[in-house]
Structure formats: structure tokens, C-alpha cells
């Protein structure tokens, strides 16, 4: 039987099919790397998970240009062995498993050994590490999976630091799609925020390179709600409900779920769903869709819920190896688990939906009256004319003249009637806009708003102009600094202005402070006793009376611990230990020598039974504590160095010695004093005055109480020179 010749393909010209070639290993690795490290946020997620697998209690992330220029992740985990450094960045090298069967019982987040290797194929990686017991650490750079040089000994702190620079430098198309550096940084912040909520025993921080303030700063805590409050704000926590689900009776789908879901009163434009399965941050589209369906019957159409869930299943019921970046997992009996969670959430919402809170806004009666009068007038014109009404002119539908009051927002705000129109409350508008833009910054307590309004109304416009446009000259003495404004020279009382600035910042950051974690909990009772012993007003009262006063003040602070923690981030644990203080001003830590005095002031001087006075006096106490007082140690400059002599006999006799031998000086104490005074001077110039220009609203009293004193005027000096 004859067989026809196969006809050539159109356009193929009868050419032979292309040969199949084995790709070079470098090409294979680069292709695989682009699949594992899809964008900078993928690299950050992998590095943070490695830190958590290493048992870290602190993880710090620094990012430059959205992660394209620099990603630096530091932790205090167990570190990397010196002998493991040569193969650290080779593909498929890992300490998490040794056989394929280990995947069925894997508990760590990493297991493939591809992440670090992939980063070296698309970027320049440098690793610095030290293990416990070593005298020094090692630093080594990697490229294409291998070391560029031998590990070099270096100084290092406990743990590991991985630095990835110039990510996707050799992938032109990928880098072009990520040129906007603002695209990926919010994703990185979102990842760190989610890790901070789940891993409550780990301190997380995330900041842009060169930034003074971290965008995420969470301290370890024992409460999940505290972690959510630190990251997402108090307004989110206020509307959360705890939820627990378990299915231990069924042998085919044993699982437990616990977490927090938002109630019907929570309002947000975008869903926030934080899902961890066996400690692994993942996405589950089907579960997310089911939860959104449940909430759609409860929330308004434009509102979305907040969900945090931690699901625990037996390791053998999860397949973690189904996605290149491990963002998805496959569950045994997934549909049944989703159905149980969905029904539980639905029941929880149904039982809690007995009350709803709606934000209302009062309408100005005068505006309604004016609108009704215009409406009636328009009706009369229409009836009298008997003709079909014409369309309203554009000028009546949209405000085209800025002098025309109709259409202004404040027309519809409720206000008290007075002889003249009350000025629009700009503070209220600012707070409303801020609450819509960032819910965690919203604090709807009227007492706090009244205090901020008092600050605004009492502001001295002349001094405000001086502060906004002044030039720092230097310190005149221990209390006063010199500033220049236009042609005038002023002396400024640093203590007074810093106290007022800290007071105003305490009100502005109300309920939304970052925290300073104390290295060790400080017992309230001992701190209060220290303050009482140093208080000259106490005189020679016996120790029993001081102990009684300390006990009373300690109990007062413990009774109000929840309130001052929520509003001012001053955390006191159940045992009466101070563990955290607020960050009132970025880049500034208060003088801890004044901490006992601060706690005594909080116990004695704060008015706890009146909300507004409580906020005022607490903010004033914080302002005084954080103010830049002169250090307790005397200033060692000039003749002050005589105070640091070991032998003070000559000082007691009144003798003055011009030449001081270094051997007669307490060098350790002198160095401590010099450091304290130089640090204060640096803080005044680089922290206080820049912050004053941004935030301080000087009260009118500062113009007359000696806080600002004019010492020279160029115009008057010209007149003096003219006479000469």
C-alpha cells in the first residue's frame, strides 16, 4: 500500500524540528530563582521565616527603594555553623529535613533550601552570623550559589544578618516591572504586620533605610489583642470578638481553630484576613470567599471585615509543597473544615448582632431652614408661572464662587448660635479625615479633643512664626539656647519648651504610641520608694510612712494600668512591674534617672476621677518626665571638673587648684557625665528644635514668663553704630 509523503507545514519550509538541548545549570538556576523570588516582598517573607525557624526573639527588617536596592533582615536566633557556610547558598541545602517522608511531619516554615540560593542568582547576598559561644562572627558574600571569598572574622551580635543588594540586577524585564519602589514596600509592611500579630513573643520592626521611625514596631506581649492593638490600632481591637472551633471527635479531620473576628460594628473598605495554618502564613481563597459571603449579610455593602485565624491540624493532613513561594497549602477534607468555620462565624455574628453602632452627624438647623426656604420659594415660582420648570444653572448646583457660603462643609456642622459666626473647628476636621485615612490614629474621646482645641486656641502667633522660621545657634548655658529669627536673637528656655512639646505630643499621639521595651521589668514599689527617699519635701519621715505611701501609689497605678496602657502605652503587668514606656518623640529616650519621680507624680498628681483632668495631668506628667532637663551629674566643663576629684579635701577647705592631675579624677564618672551632657546637646540641636518646628504650638504665657527672651536686634545695633 502506498503511503503519501507528509506535506510540509505552512511557513516551515520543510525544515527539521528544533533540537532539544540541555540547559546550562546557571540558566536553570536563574529561571528557578525567578519563580521562588517573584518580587522583593517574597525575599523578605523567606528571610523572616528563616529567622523564626532559627528561634529568634527579635527580627528587624530594613528596606531601600522597595527592596530593589537593599533588603536587610537581622535576628538574634541560633546563628549558622562556620562549617555550613560554604554550602549555605547552594540549591536544596537545608537543615529542616533529610528525607522526602519528613515533609509529612514538617513543622518549620522552610524546607526546600531554595530561598537563599535563589537570592544569590538574582542579587548580591552577604551573610553575617555568630553562634553561641563563639568569640567572633563571620561575614561572607555569595554569588550564583557559591562564596565569593572565604568567610572573614568580624564583630557580630548574636544571630544572623542577611543583606541582599541590587535585587533582579540581571533580570531586566522583571526589574522594569518593579521600577516604582512604592509598590512593594506596603506589601513588606503588611507581611511583617501579620507575623507580628501571630508571633506575639517576637519583637518585629520594619523601616525604610535612613528613616528615623519604624513603620512597624511591635514588642513581645502575652496577649494577642495587645499585638493587634500595637499593629492595627485600638479602634480595630474595640470591635473584635474571640472565636474558637474544634473538631476533635471526627477521626478523619482533627483540627483546632482560634482567632478574632470583627463584629457588625467594624467598618473598613478592604478586608484584612490574617491566616496561619500550623504556624505558616498562607492564603486560602475558598475560605476567604466563604467568610466574605457570611459577612455580606451583616455588614453594609461597602464594608469589609477583619479576620485573624490560627488553624492547627496534624502535619500529615497538610501538603505544604504545592506552591513555589509556599503561600498556599492543601488540606485534607478542606471543604468540611471551611464549612465548619463558616457556620461558627455565622452563629457568632448572629448572637452578637443584637446592637449596632452607627456614626451620626448633627445637622445645623439654620442650614435646614435655609434649604427649606429656598425649596418653598422655588415651588411658589413654579406654581405662579404655570410653566414647566427649567434646569437649575450650574452655578446653583456647584459652588463656583469661593466667597459663596452655600456648599461649604461647615454649613452642615452643628454649632451654638452666637452674635458672630463661630470659626470652623479645624481640629475636628483633621481628626475626622485622619480617622478615615488611618483608623488606628482615630481617638474619639471628646475630652482629648477639648484639650487639643485649648492648645490651638492658646497658641501665640508671633512665637509660632519665630519657632517655624528660626535658626539654631547653640547652647548659652545649661538651660538656655540661642536661636536667630530674621534680624533678632533670642534666648530660649530649653526645659520649658521641651516640656510643652512633650505635653502636646502626648495628646497628639494619644492611644497610638510606639513603645520602649524595658530590658528588665521594674517593680513599681521599689521605684516609688526611691523617689520618696530623694524627695526633700518628705523630710525625715520614717521608713514605715514612706513604705505606706509607696504601697498606696503602687495600688493606684495598678488599678488604672489598663487605661494608661491603652491611652499612653505605659504598661504595668499584673505583678506591679513597669515593662514599657511610650515613645513621645522619635529618636529620643528620656532620662531614666527621673523615672522614679515620674511614677510618683503619676500616682500623686493625676486626677483619676475626671476624664479631662486625668488626660491633662497625665500628659503633663509625661511632658515633665520627657523634657530635656539638665543631667543629674554636674557639667564637667570648665571648673566643674573639680567636682569629679577623688580627693575632695581641698574642695572642702575652699582651696582652688588650677591644674588637676588626671590621676586625681574619677575618670569613669567623668566619662559618664561627659557622655550625658554631649548627648543632651546633640538631642537639643538635632531632635528637639527640628521637632519644635514641626509640632510645637507655643502658648501665650511663653511670651511673658521668660521662656523666650530677645537679647539683640540688628536694627538697634545699626542705630548704636550710627551714633558712634
Amino acid at each position: 500500500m502506498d503511503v503519501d509523503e507528509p506535506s510540509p507545514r505552512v511557513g516551515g519550509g520543510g525544515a527539521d524540528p528544533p533540537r532539544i538541548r540541555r540547559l546550562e545549570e546557571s540558566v536553570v538556576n536563574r529561571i528557578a530563582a525567578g519563580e521562588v523570588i517573584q518580587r522583593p516582598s517574597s525575599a523578605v517573607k523567606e528571610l523572616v521565616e528563616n529567622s523564626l525557624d532559627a528561634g529568634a526573639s527579635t527580627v528587624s527588617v530594613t528596606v531601600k527603594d522597595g527592596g530593589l536596592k537593599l533588603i536587610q533582615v537581622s535576628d538574634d536566633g541560633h546563628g549558622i555553623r562556620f562549617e555550613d557556610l560554604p554550602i549555605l547558598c547552594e540549591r536544596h541545602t537545608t537543615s529542616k529535613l533529610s528525607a522526602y517522608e519528613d515533609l509529612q511531619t514538617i513543622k518549620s516554615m522552610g524546607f526546600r533550601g531554595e530561598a537563599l540560593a535563589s537570592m544569590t542568582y538574582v542579587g548580591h547576598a552577604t551573610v553575617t552570623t555568630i553562634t553561641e559561644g563563639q568569640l567572633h562572627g563571620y561575614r561572607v558574600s555569595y554569588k550564583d550559589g557559591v562564596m565569593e571569598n572565604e568567610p572573614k572574622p568580624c564583630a557580630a551580635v548574636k544571630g544572623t544578618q542577611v543583606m541582599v543588594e541590587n535585587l533582579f540586577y540581571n533580570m531586566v524585564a522583571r526589574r522594569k516591572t518593579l521600577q516604582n519602589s512604592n509598590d512593594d514596600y506596603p506589601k513588606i509592611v503588611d507581611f511583617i504586620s501579620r507575623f507580628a500579630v501571630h508571633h506575639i513573643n517576637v519583637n518585629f520592626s520594619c523601616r525604610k533605610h535612613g528613616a528615623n521611625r519604624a513603620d512597624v514596631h511591635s514588642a513581645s506581649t502575652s496577649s494577642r489583642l495587645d499585638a493587634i492593638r500595637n499593629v492595627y490600632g485600638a479602634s480595630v481591637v474595640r470591635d473584635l470578638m474571640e472565636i474558637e472551633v474544634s473538631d476533635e471527635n471526627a477521626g478523619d479531620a482533627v483540627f483546632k481553630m482560634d482567632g478574632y473576628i470583627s463584629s457588625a460594628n467594624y467598618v473598613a473598605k478592604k478586608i484584612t484576613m490574617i491566616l496561619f495554618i500550623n504556624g505558616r502564613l498562607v492564603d486560602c481563597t475558598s475560605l476567604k470567599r466563604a467568610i466574605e459571603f457570611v459577612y455580606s449579610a451583616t455588614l453594609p455593602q461597602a464594608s469589609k471585615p477583619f479576620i485573624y485565624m490560627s488553624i492547627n491540624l496534624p502535619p500529615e493532613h497538610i501538603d505544604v509543597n504545592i506552591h513555589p513561594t509556599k503561600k498556599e497549602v492543601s488540606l485534607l477534607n478542606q471543604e468540611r473544615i471551611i464549612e465548619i468555620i463558616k457556620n461558627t462565624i455565622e452563629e457568632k455574628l448572629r448572637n452578637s448582632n443584637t446592637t449596632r453602632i452607627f456614626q451620626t452627624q448633627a445637622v445645623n438647623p439654620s442650614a435646614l431652614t435655609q434649604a427649606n426656604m429656598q425649596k418653598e420659594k422655588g415651588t411658589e415660582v413654579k406654581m405662579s408661572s404655570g410653566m414647566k420648570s427649567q434646569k437649575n444653572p450650574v452655578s446653583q448646583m456647584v459652588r463656583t464662587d469661593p466667597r459663596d457660603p452655600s456648599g461649604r462643609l461647615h454649613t452642615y456642622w452643628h454649632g451654638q448660635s452666637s452674635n458672630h459666626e463661630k470659626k470652623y473647628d479645624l481640629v475636628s476636621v483633621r481628626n475626622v479625615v485622619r480617622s478615615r485615612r488611618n483608623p488606628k490614629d482615630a481617638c474619639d474621646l471628646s475630652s482629648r479633643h477639648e484639650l487639643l482645641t485649648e492648645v490651638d486656641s492658646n497658641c501665640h502667633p508671633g512665637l509660632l512664626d519665630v519657632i517655624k522660621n528660626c535658626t539654631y545657634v547653640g547652647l548659652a548655658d545649661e538651660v538656655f539656647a540661642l536661636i536667630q529669627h530674621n534680624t533678632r536673637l533670642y534666648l530660649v528656655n530649653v526645659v520649658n519648651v521641651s516640656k510643652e512639646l512633650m505635653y502636646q505630643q502626648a495628646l497628639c499621639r494619644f492611644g497610638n504610641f510606639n513603645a520602649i521595651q524595658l530590658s528588665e521589668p521594674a517593680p513599681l514599689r521599689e521605684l516609688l520608694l526611691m523617689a520618696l527617699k530623694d524627695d526633700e519635701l518628705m523630710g525625715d519621715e520614717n521608713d514605715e510612712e514612706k513604705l505606706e505611701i509607696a504601697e498606696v501609689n503602687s495600688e493606684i497605678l495598678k488599678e488604672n494600668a489598663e487605661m494608661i496602657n491603652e491611652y499612653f502605652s505605659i504598661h504595668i503587668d499584673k505583678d506591679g512591674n513597669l515593662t514599657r514606656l511610650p515613645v513621645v518623640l522619635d529618636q529620643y529616650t528620656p532620662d531614666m534617672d527621673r523615672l522614679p519621680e515620674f511614677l510618683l507624680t503619676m500616682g500623686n498628681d493625676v486626677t483619676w476621677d475626671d476624664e479631662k483632668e486625668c488626660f491633662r495631668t497625665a500628659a503633663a506628667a509625661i511632658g515633665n518626665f520627657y523634657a530635656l532637663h539638665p543631667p543629674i551629674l554636674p557639667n564637667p566643663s570648665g571648673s566643674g571638673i573639680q567636682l569629679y576629684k577623688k580627693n575632695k579635701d581641698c574642695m572642702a577647705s575652699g582651696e582652688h587648684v588650677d591644674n588637676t592631675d588626671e590621676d586625681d579624677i574619677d575618670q569613669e564618672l567623668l566619662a559618664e557625665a561627659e557622655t550625658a551632657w554631649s548627648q543632651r546637646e546633640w538631642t537639643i540641636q538635632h531632635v528637639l528644635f527640628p521637632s519644635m518646628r514641626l509640632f510645637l504650638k507655643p502658648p501665650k504665657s511663653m511670651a511673658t514668663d521668660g521662656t523666650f527672651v530677645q537679647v539683640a536686634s540688628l536694627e538697634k545695633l545699626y542705630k548704636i553704630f550710627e551714633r558712634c
Side-chain angles (χ1 to χ4, degrees):
M1 184 175 66
D2 296 336
V3 179
D4 295 336
E5 291 286 335
S7 59
R9 283 178 285 179
V10 177
D16 293 336
R19 290 184 60 189
I20 298 176
R21 297 181 178 87
R22 181 180 288 105
L23 292 176
E24 295 182 5
E25 187 176 357
S26 61
V27 178
V28 174
N29 290 332
R30 189 175 299 179
I31 293 173
E35 192 176 37
V36 175
I37 307 299
Q38 298 177 353
R39 53 193 313 124
S41 56
S42 305
V44 172
K45 180 175 180 290
E46 295 284 356
L47 292 174
V48 171
E49 288 179 344
N50 283 348
S51 297
L52 295 173
D53 285 341
S57 61
T58 300
V59 180
S60 302
V61 179
T62 303
V63 176
K64 184 176 182 181
D65 287 354
L68 292 177
K69 286 288 184 66
L70 172 69
I71 295 173
Q72 180 176 294
V73 178
S74 306
D75 65 63
D76 60 351
H78 52 57
I80 303 168
R81 299 171 183 268
F82 172 76
E83 53 269 23
D84 292 337
L85 290 176
I87 63 169
L88 173 65
C89 293
E90 291 184 8
R91 289 192 68 201
H92 307 306
T93 56
T94 179
S95 61
K96 314 298 171 53
L97 77 167
S98 56
Y100 181 78
E101 290 73 21
D102 294 341
L103 277 177
Q104 297 182 1
T105 58
I106 194 77
K107 293 184 179 180
S108 61
M109 283 172 275
F111 53 86
R112 293 198 193 108
E114 285 187 313
L116 279 176
S118 299
M119 293 177 205
T120 64
Y121 284 104
V122 295
H124 302 107
T126 303
V127 178
T128 305
T129 186
I130 184 173
T131 57
E132 188 174 358
Q134 285 186 326
L135 298 178
H136 57 78
Y138 292 93
R139 180 179 292 116
V140 59
S141 299
Y142 293 88
K143 184 179 180 181
D144 294 340
V146 297
M147 295 191 302
E148 290 188 294
N149 45 48
E150 290 297 317
K152 298 179 180 178
C154 65
V157 295
K158 178 191 174 187
T160 303
Q161 180 189 89
V162 180
M163 186 166 58
V164 182
E165 299 174 286
N166 299 322
L167 198 61
F168 304 126
Y169 73 97
N170 53 359
M171 301 176 70
V172 180
R174 179 77 61 88
R175 194 171 181 88
K176 284 183 177 179
T177 61
L178 298 170
Q179 279 302 316
N180 189 354
S181 61
N182 293 325
D183 287 346
D184 233 48
Y185 186 68
K187 290 182 173 60
I188 294 172
V189 171
D190 182 58
F191 273 133
I192 303 302
S193 300
R194 292 165 185 259
F195 280 120
V197 168
H198 183 72
H199 297 276
I200 60 177
N201 296 321
V202 181
N203 301 313
F204 287 93
S205 69
C206 178
R207 72 180 70 227
K208 289 184 178 180
H209 182 265
N212 297 326
R213 182 179 181 181
D215 294 289
V216 178
H217 183 80
S218 69
S220 60
T221 177
S222 59
S223 168
R224 185 83 60 198
L225 284 177
D226 284 344
I228 298 175
R229 182 184 292 109
N230 289 338
V231 176
Y232 291 98
S235 59
V236 174
V237 174
R238 185 167 54 241
D239 296 322
L240 293 185
M241 305 179 295
E242 189 172 8
I243 185 170
E244 292 183 356
V245 183
S246 62
D247 188 27
E248 297 179 348
N249 296 327
D252 56 343
V254 180
F255 85 98
K256 291 182 180 180
M257 187 276 284
D258 63 271
Y260 290 90
I261 62 173
S262 57
S263 65
N265 295 319
Y266 179 78
V267 178
K269 294 183 179 180
K270 184 180 179 182
I271 184 173
T272 302
M273 182 167 179
I274 306 171
L275 176 61
F276 282 82
I277 299 181
N278 283 20
R280 189 183 302 276
L281 178 62
V282 296
D283 293 334
C284 184
T285 306
S286 53
L287 177 59
K288 182 178 180 181
R289 192 181 300 117
I291 293 173
E292 284 186 311
F293 177 78
V294 172
Y295 272 94
S296 63
T298 305
L299 296 179
Q301 186 174 2
S303 297
K304 301 295 181 182
F306 179 97
I307 308 291
Y308 163 75
M309 285 185 183
S310 176
I311 300 176
N312 290 295
L313 298 110
E316 59 270 17
H317 288 187
I318 305 176
D319 186 358
V320 297
N321 192 28
I322 67 170
H323 195 274
T325 62
K326 297 171 289 188
K327 66 179 295 187
E328 295 178 2
V329 295
S330 178
L331 308 180
L332 188 65
N333 299 315
Q334 179 170 307
E335 293 80 7
R336 186 169 182 273
I337 292 174
I338 292 175
E339 186 66 23
I340 293 173
I341 294 175
K342 173 187 170 184
N343 294 338
T344 305
I345 293 177
E346 190 173 8
E347 182 181 357
K348 188 79 172 180
L349 286 173
R350 191 185 306 116
N351 295 336
S352 66
N353 202 21
T354 55
T355 61
R356 293 289 298 274
I357 299 174
F358 295 94
Q359 299 295 330
T360 61
Q361 181 174 326
V363 180
N364 192 342
S366 62
L368 286 176
T369 305
Q370 183 180 3
N372 290 333
M373 290 177 61
Q374 291 178 353
K375 183 177 180 181
E376 291 173 2
K377 183 178 179 181
T379 305
E380 291 175 1
V381 171
K382 179 180 178 180
M383 292 176 64
S384 62
S385 63
M387 298 176 63
K388 191 174 182 178
S389 61
Q390 298 179 352
K391 291 184 179 180
N392 292 330
V394 176
S395 60
Q396 294 182 12
M397 297 173 65
V398 180
R399 182 164 65 95
T400 57
D401 186 355
R403 295 169 295 181
D404 182 10
S406 63
R408 289 182 184 172
L409 182 63
H410 70 264
T411 306
Y412 301 96
W413 282 68
H414 179 69
Q416 297 180 352
S417 58
S418 58
N419 296 332
H420 55 84
E421 184 181 358
K422 191 174 181 180
K423 288 187 177 180
Y424 187 58
D425 188 0
L426 186 59
V427 175
S428 300
V429 175
R430 191 179 294 121
N431 288 324
V432 170
V433 173
R434 187 184 295 121
S435 66
R436 292 175 180 173
R437 184 186 304 143
N438 189 0
K440 77 175 184 179
D441 285 340
C443 207
D444 53 358
L445 294 173
S446 58
S447 300
R448 180 243 187 182
H449 293 321
E450 290 174 8
L451 292 172
L452 287 173
T453 304
E454 289 178 7
V455 170
D456 286 338
S457 61
N458 193 37
C459 179
H460 191 291
L463 291 181
L464 182 62
D465 180 63
V466 170
I467 289 174
K468 295 286 186 187
N469 301 292
C470 72
T471 301
Y472 178 79
V473 178
L475 285 178
D477 60 14
E478 298 176 356
V479 176
F480 285 93
L482 280 170
I483 62 171
Q484 180 183 345
H485 176 254
N486 293 336
T487 58
R488 292 175 172 83
L489 195 65
Y490 294 88
L491 278 174
V492 181
N493 189 311
V494 172
V495 177
N496 288 354
V497 293
S498 61
K499 189 182 300 183
E500 180 65 26
L501 174 64
M502 303 301 178
Y503 167 76
Q504 295 179 13
Q505 282 294 287
L507 294 177
C508 291
R509 300 193 178 197
F510 187 89
N512 190 27
F513 289 93
N514 287 332
I516 302 172
Q517 186 76 29
L518 301 186
S519 57
E520 294 182 1
L524 286 179
R525 184 169 163 274
E526 294 183 12
L527 290 171
L528 290 167
L529 281 174
M530 290 172 60
L532 291 170
K533 291 178 181 178
D534 294 339
D535 192 350
E536 297 178 356
L537 298 177
M538 292 294 297
D540 296 329
E541 291 189 21
N542 57 43
D543 292 340
E544 292 183 2
E545 292 180 353
K546 292 180 180 178
L547 183 60
E548 183 179 354
I549 295 173
E551 290 287 355
V552 170
N553 283 279
S554 178
E555 289 301 319
I556 291 174
L557 293 175
K558 284 194 285 187
E559 289 173 5
N560 297 278
E562 183 177 359
M563 185 269 288
I564 60 178
N565 180 41
E566 180 177 358
Y567 294 153
F568 298 107
S569 194
I570 301 172
H571 183 261
I572 299 171
D573 62 22
K574 61 182 180 180
D575 297 324
N577 296 320
L578 179 69
T579 60
R580 285 202 302 270
L581 289 170
V583 176
V584 177
L585 204 62
D586 296 328
Q587 284 189 294
Y588 173 63
T589 303
D591 185 358
M592 291 301 172
D593 289 336
R594 300 184 182 274
L595 181 59
E597 178 188 351
F598 165 63
L599 293 175
L600 184 61
T601 304
M602 289 290 292
N604 272 339
D605 298 346
V606 174
T607 308
W608 300 104
D609 53 357
D610 181 84
E611 184 180 87
K612 182 177 179 180
E613 284 304 309
C614 176
F615 295 162
R616 185 202 304 275
T617 50
I622 291 173
N624 185 58
F625 172 43
Y626 281 75
L628 278 98
H629 298 278
I632 294 177
L633 290 173
N635 192 341
S637 62
S639 60
I641 197 172
Q642 299 292 333
L643 300 173
Y644 294 92
K645 292 189 64 175
K646 295 179 181 178
N647 185 6
K648 297 183 175 58
D649 293 340
C650 61
M651 292 176 59
S653 61
E655 296 179 9
H656 179 74
V657 181
D658 293 332
N659 297 323
T660 305
D661 192 353
E662 291 186 1
D663 295 335
D664 294 337
I665 300 296
D666 189 337
Q667 296 295 335
E668 184 177 350
L669 190 61
L670 178 62
E672 183 180 349
E674 289 175 342
T675 301
W677 282 92
S678 61
Q679 178 65 33
R680 177 176 183 263
E681 184 174 355
W682 184 92
T683 303
I684 291 172
Q685 179 178 356
H686 297 285
V687 178
L688 176 62
F689 274 90
S691 300
M692 283 170 50
R693 295 189 189 97
L694 292 174
F695 307 120
L696 180 62
K697 298 175 181 177
K700 296 174 182 177
S701 59
M702 285 189 173
T704 56
D705 64 1
T707 301
F708 287 82
V709 179
Q710 180 180 322
V711 294
S713 172
L714 198 58
E715 295 91 341
K716 294 181 180 179
L717 290 176
Y718 281 147
K719 292 179 181 179
I720 294 173
F721 292 147
E722 287 174 358
R723 294 195 195 103
C724 297

